[in-house]
Amino acid sequence: MPTTNTNSHDPAGHGHGARDTSDGSNESTALLPSFLRGEIAHEGESGRRGFHPRHFIAVSYKSSNIVSQYVNFLWPFVPLAIIFRYALPSHPLWIFGLAYVGMIPSANLLGFAGQEFAKKMPKVAGTLIETTFGSIVEIILFVVLIVKHREPVEGEDGGNGDEGNLIPIIQAAILGSILTNLLLCLGLCFFVGGLRKTTQKFHAAISETGNGLLLVAAFGLLIPSAFYSALKGERTITKSSLGFIVADAKFTPETLQSDILKISQVTSVVLILAFGCYLLFNARSQHSVFHEVIETDEHGDMDREEDQARMRYTGTETTVALIISLVFATLLLIYLVEQIEAVVESGVPDQFLGLILLPLVEKAAEHLTAIDEAYDGVINVALYHCLGPSIQTALFNGPLVVIVGWILHKPMDLNFEIFMIVLVVLGILVVGNFLRDGESNWLEGVLLVIVYVIIAIASWYYPNPDVATSNGIEGLAASTGSKNVTIDRALLQDLLAMANLNT
């Protein structure tokens, strides 16, 4: 008898709507555009429908790997943080600590649910979606921070808490997220992968594309800072013969700050467009290449049989897990942001908080996933989970918070501290040098982690922005040894004329 399978090589393209079910998929309707469609991996199917509480709890507990399973023991910190927030509001450090630890299992559940959802999608689309879910926590954090931000009122001490200036912390968190992924997460991936295999090789399609995009993103983030640094000391400060520090009336510090804000807003729009091109490139132009790389990696997974035997969420259970994790993550992030002022006043520097502490917890799920994949020998997927979130932070998440600030009329810009932007550029160059040969080993991983530790130490001793503003308005006075006085040109000419008469 002739075979009944008429869809696997449909020349008219109708097979996209009703794909061959020989791979275990029972999908009959395309969920994605034609260029995102492909075979759905059978390991993404649970074989059940609906919501089953006992099964849901069992799958959530076992998660995707043994480390994630141990992380689930931290769930009691979530209700404790909520209880302390409302029952003991006078203990901000306890609330911050409990919420910080509680964020780890919440992010872990979000990451695992994202993985389960991605497994029900085509290979490349699934990886992109999984990376996006891993960055949702970061987007929520940035939005909460910018909403809570308040411009210091004249006559008050400018703080950096929930009632003060949070923009320096947001800026540090943007760059800290990139550094954490590139140095700490990638370093740990190289290290644990090198423990099982002497040398791990990865595909140039992922490493070269990722590193190139990061350089472009770093260039876009650097421009506003470079623009400000170049002009703040050249055109805004002049010194008269009377000893006055005079700001050019046509180019005052306020004008410069306004220009920086406009440059940041337009640059953010351009960077988001670049991120759209990156997604299109992965999903369409290089879809077959990325699909082949990911497929080859998964077949070489050392724990492939064990992973295939794991219980899976149903579609409904995946949705419930995503909602639960997002609700808890959002609540805990709000609690964290509310206590930032108390944490800073306790002695934790702003730069350390934004550059190190916040990125560690916001990307916990992504880091656990990448490290597990590297340990299983799936180095290309692990590399993608390190470079992908860094690219998304630089091209989308960071610019997005600038646009949100624009909408809310809050002066969020990309005028980073020179200290931090130099760290990011150097970090990208170091990682690019290690990726150049297409191989990794445990020593390279250790070196990347050491670089990250050095940065963490330096950020701990770096003064808060209100003390050391190497790239801020206050730096103008520091560079001249006195405070700026803006004088009208006509008045200045009169003063100079009087000085000439006296001489």
Side-chain angles (χ1 to χ4, degrees), residues 8 24 39 41 50 128 157 188 198 206 211 343 347 389 458 470 475 487:
S8 58
E39 293 185 357
L128 291 172
D157 294 332
L188 291 175
T198 305
I206 294 179
N211 193 59
V343 173
S470 63
I487 300 178

Side-chain angles (χ1 to χ4, degrees), residues 262-281:
K262 293 175 184 176
I263 292 173
S264 299
Q265 291 166 348
V266 176
T267 300
S268 297
V269 173
V270 175
L271 290 177
I272 291 177
L273 292 176
F275 183 70
C277 294
Y278 161 69
L279 293 180
L280 186 63
F281 178 81

